[in-house]
Amino acid sequence: MATKQAKRATIYLDPDLHRAVKIKAGLSSVTISELISEAIRDSLREDAADIKALESSKNEPSVSLEDVLKEFNLERLLK
């Protein structure tokens, strides 16, 4: 649903993707615009969660791949 603050944007979708989005919007009783906006919000939330996880682990010690494989007794995979 467009709000007073909503901004118009033009996007180009592959015809099959457009058809799928149109069907999903109809089945969900929402507009294509609402569906796409929510998908973008979800993607940005994922990015924010990834950034938060990276920031919280930045003080953790680094571990080499070789050490991880040895810990799981998988060093034979390196040969």
Side-chain angles (χ1 to χ4, degrees):
M1 171 193 269
T3 64
K4 194 174 188 178
Q5 299 85 14
K7 297 291 183 183
R8 183 182 179 108
T10 301
I11 62 169
Y12 296 92
L13 301 173
D14 174 83
D16 291 334
L17 180 59
H18 181 261
R19 189 176 316 108
V21 169
K22 190 174 180 178
I23 290 169
K24 182 169 181 164
L27 292 172
S28 305
S29 300
V30 298
T31 66
I32 291 174
S33 195
E34 289 170 323
L35 193 61
I36 291 173
S37 291
E38 188 58 33
I40 293 169
R41 279 189 205 94
D42 287 346
S43 177
L44 293 173
R45 280 187 208 109
E46 276 185 33
D47 290 348
D50 290 346
I51 290 169
K52 187 176 179 180
L54 284 171
E55 287 174 350
S56 70
S57 67
K58 68 181 175 186
N59 293 325
E60 293 179 10
S62 295
V63 180
S64 72
L65 175 60
E66 289 81 10
D67 289 342
V68 171
L69 293 176
K70 285 178 187 175
E71 181 179 331
F72 290 103
N73 198 20
L74 300 174
E75 67 271 2
R76 68 185 183 286
L77 295 177
L78 292 175
K79 297 177 182 179

